[in-house]
Amino acid sequence: MVRRKRFSRRGRRKPSIPTEELKLNTLITQTKVTFPNGEEKSVYSDGTVVTLETSGQRLILLPNGQKEIHTASFKRREYPDGTSKTVFNDGRQETVHANGRIRKKDANGNLISDVIIDHTGKVVHNYLNKLR
C-alpha cells in the first residue's frame, strides 16, 4: 500500500491517505501517478500522456494522435497516417510509410535503401536505381 503525500501551501505536511497510487500535482501542468508495480504515468495539461514502464520503456501519446516509443535501443515516432520513423542508438534511421515505402539511412544520413514493398513482401519499386 502506498501513502499519498500531501503538503499545504506553506510546505507543511497534510495527513496521509492510504491509496494504491501516488498522485503528485506540480504547477497544474502535470499530474503524475505512480502505481504499485513501479509504473509511472504523467498527464500534462496539453493532453500529452507519458508512461514509464518498469522495463524502462517510455511511451508518449501526443494530443495530435502521434505516439513515441523510447527504449534502450531505439526511439520511434508513429504518425496517425501509419508512417513510423525509427532512430537507432548508433544513428541509423528507418522510415516506414503507410504505402509500403521504406527508407533507410546510415549514421551519417546517407541514403542506403529506398524501396516500396507490397503486401507480399516483394519489392515493387526501387528509388535508388533512379539516383545512381
Side-chain angles (χ1 to χ4, degrees):
M1 184 180 305
V2 179
R3 295 204 177 260
R4 183 182 297 173
K5 294 179 182 177
R6 298 174 57 196
F7 294 91
S8 68
R9 288 186 176 196
R10 294 184 179 175
R12 295 185 182 139
R13 191 167 181 195
K14 291 183 179 179
S16 298
I17 302 170
T19 180
E20 293 184 7
E21 57 189 40
L22 176 68
K23 284 191 175 184
L24 179 65
N25 292 325
T26 57
L27 300 175
I28 308 171
T29 59
Q30 173 188 8
T31 300
K32 188 173 185 178
V33 180
T34 304
F35 296 98
N37 63 357
E39 186 175 303
E40 293 181 3
K41 185 175 184 178
S42 298
V43 180
Y44 293 88
S45 57
D46 68 349
T48 302
V49 178
V50 179
T51 304
L52 179 62
E53 298 177 358
T54 55
S55 63
Q57 179 174 317
R58 183 180 306 257
L59 177 66
I60 303 169
L61 301 173
L62 301 169
N64 61 2
Q66 296 178 6
K67 178 168 69 169
E68 282 193 22
I69 302 167
H70 296 191
T71 66
S73 58
F74 66 85
K75 292 181 182 179
R76 175 181 295 141
R77 179 171 278 205
E78 298 175 356
Y79 298 91
D81 67 352
T83 302
S84 69
K85 182 168 184 175
T86 306
V87 179
F88 297 95
N89 283 348
D90 60 1
R92 292 179 297 125
Q93 297 178 21
E94 179 180 275
T95 305
V96 180
H97 296 273
N99 65 354
R101 184 175 185 178
I102 300 174
R103 294 180 56 124
K104 294 182 181 180
K105 295 182 181 181
D106 64 7
N108 297 323
N110 301 321
L111 192 60
I112 297 172
S113 172
D114 191 358
V115 296
I116 290 183
I117 298 177
D118 66 3
H119 66 280
T120 62
K122 180 181 174 187
V123 174
V124 177
H125 187 72
N126 189 344
Y127 288 98
L128 288 183
N129 290 341
K130 289 184 175 181
L131 297 176
R132 293 183 182 167

